[in-house]
Amino acid sequence: MLPVALLIIAVPLAAAIPALALRGLRIFELPIAVGACLFVILLLALPAAGGSTVLAIGSYQIELNAPLTILGRTLRVRDFDRYALILIFSAAALIFPLSVRANQGWTFVPLGLAMLSALSVALMIRPFVFSALALEVAASLAAMMIQVEREEAHEQHRVATLGALRFLTIVTLALPCFLGAGYVVAQATQAVAPDAATYAPAVTLLLIGFALLFGALPVFTWTHPVARDAPPLVTAFLATVYLGAITFLFLSFRQEYEWFRTSPLIVSAANLGGILMLAFGGLTAWAQRSFGRVMACGLAVEIGALLIQAGLGTVLSIEAIAIGIGARAISFGLLALGVSLLRQEFGSDEFDTLRGAGRRLVWAPLAIGIGGLSLAGLPGTIGFVSRWMSIRSLALGDQELMMLSILASASVGIAVVRGLGALLEASPTPSPEDAPATLEMEAASRLETLRQLVGDVWARLKARALHLSVIAPAVTIVWVGLAPHALALLAQSIANGYTFYR
């Protein structure tokens, strides 16, 4: 008997080794990473025969719910964890291929796979105290991913970046909260008749710990330093995979522990953190003057909406959270891809530095436009679906929070439009003495410019044809083969996994 939990942990770690060895050859590195994610998704998506067996290979049976015991601690794929892991690995499988065009440093793929393994342990392990230890391991890996851009792309800044230090410090500060909560729960279980007051200190400590993990602090949080220092796709990875794992860990606590689910502090704390993050992101986003800071403000808005939805815990809010992970993977992924192209080409993502630069790059403005406007929830984008579901769940309860969410998203959209306007700004009109002497010279110049543009696009298409020939089948498998089944499992999880809310 082989537990699926063992494969979920081992497969990404095993794939990280050849990905690290082949880190200079993305044509091999990326299929390994995407293949590992798809294999885990396939194991979790297969129907369980006889209640647990998902696959039989000879005399070996791969059991979905079989426990895995490591050092006396149990890891098991529960029904809720199954759907959460499908969404997290699917988001990673969407973000990894985007690095084929933009260099994110040698750590992105191998350490991203190792981080997936650590986050999976955090979701599956019990007692929950050890989830915090797994998250600390994931934060250590993320810190190395964050500071790689300063060390590789900016040789003059070979110092520990503030983003890596801030992220690791905040996750480390959450660790004592989980340890203290675990101690309080252990003492409460030994009481004759524990009541809500007995578990109140544990609830308070857990809420503080989750607030730190979410980055739900407008001041001294990790969102802005990480968006400034980290490679953009690393920021997208943290915004999607890391925050997704933290959200599902929070929801699993609400599902598993009644003393945590019934506490009145949860909704109040979640709303407070959500309002602060929405207000912070909404008030500052429109005035930003760089795409990195726009990403940070958009991330703050997403965290605020995520906190409010997690605090509600209704079926509609769970649907919004699940769809939001996929929407963030696409929105942040495309936005990060565009920012990476700008930083590689011009060494900056400041609006003033990049005025008119978008006319020389085709893909960067396109990626930023699609990803940024999707992040703002523009109708017609995937982000609008997530934002609409979030607003629909809020409309049943708090109208003020709904309006705050809409205004914060609109502020992000204004910042994206301002940045695109700077990118696509027309070149200054030449003075009469600088103008061509004759119409024939002007026409010849335009024809030569058009010829050079066509030649440059054709050369780039030929250079990327080999990459696309490898990556396209993997992406096709994700969307065409597995995505419908994953969405069906998600719908089933909403119907069956949260029946206690009804």
Side-chain angles (χ1 to χ4, degrees), residues 132-156:
L133 298 176
L135 291 175
E136 185 70 17
V137 174
S140 302
L141 297 170
M144 290 186 282
M145 296 168 65
I146 291 169
Q147 60 186 343
V148 73
E149 184 175 42
R150 291 292 184 188
E151 294 183 358
E152 289 191 348
H154 305 283
E155 295 290 338
Q156 69 273 23

Side-chain angles (χ1 to χ4, degrees), residues 309-352:
Q309 299 300 326
L312 289 176
T314 61
V315 172
L316 288 177
S317 65
I318 301 303
E319 290 179 355
I321 289 172
I323 299 299
I325 291 179
R328 284 201 304 275
I330 297 174
S331 303
F332 274 104
L334 290 176
L335 178 58
L337 176 61
V339 176
S340 295
L341 294 175
L342 292 177
R343 289 183 181 178
Q344 288 177 190
E345 186 73 19
F346 303 102
S348 174
D349 59 6
E350 298 284 340
F351 295 167
D352 294 335

Side-chain angles (χ1 to χ4, degrees), residues 123 153 186 188 193 207-208 212 221 235 254 308 387 403 410 414-415 422 433 454 470:
L123 286 174
L207 290 176
I208 295 174
L212 292 169
T221 187
T235 304
R254 295 200 66 174
I308 295 173
R387 193 69 66 202
M403 290 303 302
I414 292 172
E433 58 270 17
V454 172
V470 176

Side-chain angles (χ1 to χ4, degrees), residues 77-96:
V77 180
R78 300 162 183 82
D79 288 338
F80 175 67
D81 298 333
R82 180 182 184 182
Y83 310 114
L85 290 168
I86 287 176
L87 288 171
I88 291 173
F89 276 87
S90 299
L94 289 173
I95 294 178
F96 281 141

Side-chain angles (χ1 to χ4, degrees), residues 207-443:
L207 290 176
I208 295 174
F210 276 112
L212 292 169
L213 293 177
F214 275 109
L217 304 170
V219 182
F220 300 112
T221 187
W222 54 266
T223 53
H224 274 72
V226 167
R228 183 195 63 196
D229 293 337
L233 282 180
V234 173
T235 304
F237 191 85
L238 295 178
T240 304
V241 177
Y242 167 77
L243 285 181
I246 299 301
T247 304
F248 284 121
L249 183 63
F250 178 84
L251 293 175
S252 68
F253 275 44
R254 295 200 66 174
Q255 183 186 43
E256 189 170 349
Y257 304 111
E258 184 179 359
W259 49 268
F260 188 73
R261 180 172 68 250
T262 57
S263 174
L265 293 176
I266 293 180
V267 177
S268 301
N271 286 343
L272 176 61
I275 290 172
L276 290 176
M277 295 302 288
L278 284 174
F280 175 73
L283 289 174
T284 58
W286 65 273
Q288 300 305 318
R289 304 188 65 83
S290 71
F291 287 108
R293 292 186 177 274
V294 172
M295 284 184 64
C297 292
L299 180 55
V301 172
E302 289 293 318
I303 291 174
L306 196 60
L307 287 170
I308 295 173
Q309 299 300 326
L312 289 176
T314 61
V315 172
L316 288 177
S317 65
I318 301 303
E319 290 179 355
I321 289 172
I323 299 299
I325 291 179
R328 284 201 304 275
I330 297 174
S331 303
F332 274 104
L334 290 176
L335 178 58
L337 176 61
V339 176
S340 295
L341 294 175
L342 292 177
R343 289 183 181 178
Q344 288 177 190
E345 186 73 19
F346 303 102
S348 174
D349 59 6
E350 298 284 340
F351 295 167
D352 294 335
T353 306
L354 299 172
R355 290 193 179 277
R359 292 176 172 265
R360 286 181 282 166
L361 291 177
V362 178
W363 302 113
L366 184 62
I368 290 175
I370 297 175
L373 295 178
S374 177
L375 182 63
L378 184 73
T381 63
I382 184 64
F384 175 73
V385 179
S386 172
R387 193 69 66 202
W388 172 257
M389 297 184 70
S390 176
I391 291 173
R392 187 179 63 168
S393 64
L394 290 175
L396 301 177
D398 199 321
Q399 302 288 334
E400 289 78 10
L401 286 179
M402 181 189 71
M403 290 303 302
L404 180 60
S405 177
I406 294 174
L407 293 176
S409 300
S411 178
V412 175
I414 292 172
V416 173
V417 172
R418 287 180 63 246
L420 287 175
L423 272 180
L424 302 175
E425 185 176 276
S427 301
T429 304
S431 58
E433 58 270 17
D434 296 331
T438 63
L439 293 177
E440 290 81 7
M441 292 178 61
E442 182 180 357

Side-chain angles (χ1 to χ4, degrees), residues 96 113 344 451 456:
F96 281 141
L113 289 169
Q344 288 177 190
R451 187 191 65 79
D456 183 65

